[in-house]
Amino acid sequence: MLKEEVDKLIEFLKSSDRIKDRKERLEAIEKLGNSGYIDKVPFLCELLLNDYWDIQCKAAEAVGKLGDKKAIEALRKSLKHRQWHVREATALALGTLKAEEAIEELRKQLNDKSYGARESAKTALSMITGEIYKKGD
């Protein structure tokens, strides 16, 4: 993907109607995550604070794909989000980034009330530590 295309995606995300263009916004975030432009991670981290949980989830996935460890602190904050979907996506992004500094928070998430958040924490911990965390543990 060309830098000009990436810049257009960011412009769209900054200017589009948050509700009306929701599907297109999610697709644009996914494209940014697949773009390989690691310098766009700070912008994606801003989207972790978006009002909509689906945008936050897609931003967490994109940050994980881009692989910039500078995003770890922002992702760690998202582990405390009220929406389990966000906690789930964030845990997986931290696992992808092999964020050893998030191990303690991920272990706490093993007791999350949400099954999806617990399972994503197990997956993330396995990715980081190499230990096997089985479903239902």
Side-chain angles (χ1 to χ4, degrees), residues 4-128:
E4 294 79 27
E5 293 173 293
V6 170
D7 291 340
K8 283 182 183 178
L9 290 173
I10 289 176
E11 263 319 299
F12 169 74
L13 287 166
K14 287 180 178 179
S15 65
S16 63
D17 184 302
R18 291 181 176 201
I19 297 172
K20 191 175 93 182
D21 298 327
R22 191 97 152 253
K23 182 180 178 207
E24 291 83 3
R25 291 171 58 81
L26 292 169
E27 290 170 358
I29 295 166
E30 186 169 356
K31 287 178 183 177
L32 281 177
N34 293 327
S35 73
Y37 284 92
I38 202 165
D39 63 320
K40 302 308 176 194
V41 167
F43 174 76
L44 290 166
C45 285
E46 289 176 28
L47 294 179
L48 292 172
L49 303 173
N50 190 277
D51 293 338
Y52 300 102
W53 64 264
D54 54 348
I55 298 290
Q56 293 170 328
C57 289
K58 195 57 79 174
E61 291 171 18
V63 165
K65 284 180 185 178
L66 287 172
D68 187 355
K69 290 191 173 252
K70 293 177 193 162
I72 290 173
E73 284 309 309
L75 289 166
R76 286 173 73 183
K77 290 176 186 172
S78 290
L79 275 179
K80 297 178 180 105
H81 197 278
R82 60 183 162 72
Q83 271 285 343
W84 68 267
H85 302 87
V86 176
R87 295 192 305 274
E88 179 180 15
T90 299
L92 294 173
L94 287 165
T96 301
L97 293 172
K98 302 210 182 303
E100 292 181 7
E101 52 273 73
I103 288 175
E104 186 178 327
E105 290 107 321
L106 289 166
R107 285 197 172 126
K108 286 179 185 174
Q109 192 165 311
L110 294 173
N111 297 314
D112 197 284
K113 62 185 178 227
S114 163
Y115 176 80
R118 289 191 308 271
E119 291 304 309
S120 65
K122 289 176 191 177
T123 300
L125 285 165
S126 293
M127 293 166 82
I128 296 167

